[in-house]
Every structure is written in structure tokens, then in C-alpha cells.
């Protein structure tokens, strides 16, 4: 048995006292006294916050990254595990510049305060744990790890296209490794969300909604403005088509040659953007005549699953992968839309 948790990547500073407004910790996250401030995170921020937000592709020294990182680690500890073996990642464009700072930040001991009253507790509580090992991978490497070493056990060459909110990641993978010449990182789904937002602004006052609130409406295909229920499905389809034609398809044409297509016959779609059927169909319309376009199961979990597999593989290689009740093996995917926490422990991993 493995476990995964998905937390919306939004937060808001908030000192209000909430009592039993959520069923569990993940839906009622309130981090207390972090750098002297209290924060709602994830679903609680979306529900109770006025302007839940997160900047795109933030650096490690910014509150956006640090708060979501420690929140993910608290979730991974599950109130039980005091030692965490962690793998996390960054998009290809920021991987090299952010890697060392992320390792320095996370390879540490943590005492994180949270308010248990939001989900029926009676007081502020503390989660104490230590990250005993940390590795930072590129997002594409994490996805390749999940495809090759996870349930699919892919042995052949393949392309991977990761459709994230912040970035679109692309690469060709061979059994011996990624072909770096084919690697690319460009604008993510926020490009399409901005198109939809600009179209809405032509007719409606958006009431100072944050980009993340617009994105959630984009996901739902529905928004209520001026007490009117507005179906966004057609606007979303057009925005996704513009995104695919202006960003995704040109990026693939720039990076992938005819020779690459000759020795590779499959394309895996991963990331949250692969949850949009319209976008998947656009890939199939362009490539299905010569590539098998494969939608990875639960594509939004792919990178987190790969990171978790890497945490386990690294511990096995070091000879310290043992059945310890206090140790969890963690994949932490801090995305611009959602943060995925993927957890395995030795006694349930085999």
C-alpha cells in the first residue's frame, strides 16, 4: 500500500480562529507561527481565504516554496514518521539554479506548529521530524522514473510531455537515459488560463480574483459572476487550442527531429494538464498516425510517484532500506497548481 495526497498550491496569511471547519488535517491545514505568521494552506485557503495565491516557479528562499515544502513534509510525516527520506524536483529551467538551495533547506530537522482545531482538535500541535536524506531531480526525470520503474515498467524508447500549470516539459527517454538535446521547458497551462481570463474581462468584472481562483474555475469549466452561472467549456476549449497551437506544438517541432520519431513510437502524457480531454485529443490529432499517445494513469501523480520511487531506490542502494516504523520514503512534487505528496514505507512498499 502506498498513499498520495494532493494539496492545492495556495496559501494566505490568516490569524482567524477556526473550529471544526474540515474533516481532516489535509483539508484543514493551518500552519502556525511560521516565521512569526499564521497561514491557511491548500483547501482551507481556497475555502476560507479572501485571496489565496502562489507565484509561479518561485525560488527556494521565497515563502511560497518554503511554506508548501514544510506543509508537504508535515503531511508526509502523518503524525507518525520522524525520519523522512525525500526526493523533490524542479522544472528543467530552474533545476540547476535551485537544486542546492532546496537541498540545504530540506536537509534539516523541523518543528512545525499547526492548529488542530480546524479539523476537530482542541489546541495547537507540533509535528517534529528530520529529513535524513534529500535528492533533487528534474521534473522530467521524475516522470521517466515513474514510467520505467512503476507499474508500467516501460522498457522501450518514448517521449514524455509533462503538462504543468507553470511549465510544459518535454524530453525523449531511452533506457540509458534522457536525450538532453530534446529537453525543453516552456510556458505552462497558465498561458491558457490567462487567455480565458482576458476573454472574461471583456464582459465581466472579475472582482479582483487571484490567478489561482481563475484557474480553479478553468478546471471546473464553470464560474459565477454577477450572480450569473457562466459555462466556460467553450472558452476553455478555445484557450487550450491556442495554447497547444502557439506553445506546445511549436516546442515539439523545435526539439524533436524526424530521426527521433524514427526510433521512438510512443508518447506519454503526464501532469495535471493531461486531465483535460480536449488537450489530450489535440496531441492525438497531431501524432496518432505515427505515435502511440498514452495517457499515464492519474497523470497528475506521475512526478511525485517517480520521486518516491527514487527515494526508495536510493535507500536500497545505500543499504539502509529497512522496515523501520519511524521512516517514510517520500516524493514531494511542489507544483504551481497542486502539491503532491507521495509516501511509501518499507513494511508496505514490497
Amino acid at each position: 500500500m502506498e498513499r498520495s495526497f494532493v494539496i492545492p498550491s495556495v496559501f494566505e496569511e490568516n490569524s482567524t480562529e477556526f473550529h471544526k471547519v474540515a474533516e481532516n488535517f489535509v483539508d484543514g491545514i493551518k500552519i502556525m507561527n511560521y516565521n512569526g505568521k499564521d497561514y491557511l494552506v491548500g483547501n482551507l485557503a481556497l475555502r476560507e481565504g479572501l485571496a489565496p495565491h502562489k507565484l509561479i516557479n518561485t525560488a527556494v528562499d521565497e515563502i511560497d516554496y518554503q511554506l508548501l515544502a514544510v506543509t508537504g513534509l508535515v503531511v508526509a510525516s502523518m503524525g507518525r514518521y520522524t525520519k523522512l527520506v525525500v526526493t523533490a524536483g524542479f522544472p528543467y529551467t530552474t533545476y540547476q539554479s535551485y537544486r542546492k538551495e532546496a537541498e540545504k533547506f530540506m536537509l534539516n530537522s523541523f518543528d512545525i506548529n499547526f492548529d488542530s482545531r480546524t479539523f476537530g482538535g482542541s489546541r495547537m500541535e507540533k509535528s517534529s521530524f528530520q529529513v535524513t536524506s534529500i535528492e533533487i531531480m528534474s521534473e522530467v526525470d521524475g516522470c521517466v522514473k515513474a514510467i520505467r520503474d512503476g507499474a508500467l515498467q516501460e522498457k522501450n524508447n518514448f517521449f514524455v510531455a509533462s503538462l504543468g500549470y507553470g511549465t510544459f516539459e518535454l524530453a525523449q527517454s531511452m533506457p540509458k537515459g534522457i536525450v538532453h538535446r530534446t529537453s525543453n521547458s516552456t510556458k505552462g497551462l497558465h498561458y491558457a488560463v490567462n487567455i480565458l481570463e482576458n476573454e472574461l474581462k471583456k464582459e465581466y468584472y472579475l472582482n479582483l480574483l487571484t490567478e489561482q481562483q481563475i484557474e480553479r474555475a478553468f478546471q471546473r469549466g464553470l464560474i459565477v459572476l454577477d450572480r450569473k452561472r457562466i459555462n466556460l467549456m467553450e472558452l476553455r476549449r478555445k484557450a487550450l487550442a491556442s495554447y497547444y497551437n502557439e506553445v506546445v506544438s511549436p516546442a515539439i517541432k523545435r526539439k524533436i527531429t524526424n530521426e527521433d520519431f524514427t526510433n521512438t513510437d510512443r508518447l506519454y502524457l503526464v501532469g495535471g494538464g493531461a486531465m483535460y480531454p480536449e488537450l489530450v485529443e489535440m496531441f492525438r490529432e497531431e501524432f496518432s498516425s505515427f505515435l502511440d499517445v498514452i495517457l499515464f494513469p492519474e497523470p497528475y501523480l506521475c512526478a511525485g510517484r517517480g520521486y518516491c520511487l527514487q527515494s526508495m531506490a536510493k535507500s536500497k542502494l545505500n543499504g539502509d532500506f529497512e522496515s523501520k516504523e519511524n521512516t517514510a520514503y517520500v516524493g514531494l512534487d511542489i507544483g504551481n497548481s497542486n502539491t503532491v505528496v507521495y509516501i511509501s514505507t518499507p513494511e508496505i512498499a514490497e
Side-chain angles (χ1 to χ4, degrees), residues 288-299:
S288 62
S289 63
F290 55 98
L291 287 178
D292 186 10
V293 179
I294 303 168
L295 181 62
F296 187 86
E298 298 181 296

Side-chain angles (χ1 to χ4, degrees), residues 95-111:
Y95 164 68
Q96 291 291 349
S97 55
Y98 291 170
R99 180 181 61 178
K100 290 184 179 179
E101 286 301 311
E103 290 172 347
K104 182 179 179 181
F105 173 72
M106 280 198 255
L107 191 63
N108 217 324
S109 295
F110 293 87
D111 294 300

Side-chain angles (χ1 to χ4, degrees), residues 136-243:
I136 305 298
M137 304 175 69
S138 73
E139 181 180 321
V140 165
D141 281 323
C143 293
V144 167
K145 184 76 175 178
I147 294 167
R148 290 205 179 275
D149 296 349
L152 297 179
Q153 292 289 303
E154 178 62 73
K155 303 300 182 185
N156 298 314
N157 299 344
F158 62 84
F159 299 111
V160 58
S162 178
L163 297 155
Y165 183 71
T167 58
F168 167 63
E169 306 284 312
L170 173 71
Q172 182 187 41
S173 172
M174 295 183 173
K176 60 186 177 182
I178 283 177
V179 180
H180 288 277
R181 170 183 54 79
T182 66
S183 297
N184 191 32
S185 183
T186 186
K187 296 181 180 68
L189 280 162
H190 66 94
Y191 182 99
V193 172
N194 288 341
I195 291 175
L196 179 138
E197 180 180 5
N198 288 333
E199 288 300 313
L200 285 175
K201 284 179 178 177
K202 293 177 181 179
E203 296 187 41
Y204 301 98
Y205 171 55
L206 299 186
N207 196 28
L208 303 180
L209 295 175
T210 66
E211 183 176 350
Q212 282 72 22
Q213 289 169 322
I214 298 292
E215 184 216 351
R216 301 295 155 173
F218 188 94
Q219 292 176 352
R220 293 190 303 265
L222 175 73
I223 193 170
V224 175
L225 296 171
D226 300 331
R227 298 188 178 183
K228 296 178 182 177
R229 190 178 297 268
I230 303 165
N231 189 315
L232 299 178
M233 295 302 289
E234 182 59 21
L235 277 178
R236 187 177 83 176
R237 185 192 66 77
K238 291 180 179 179
L240 287 171
S242 294
Y243 171 60

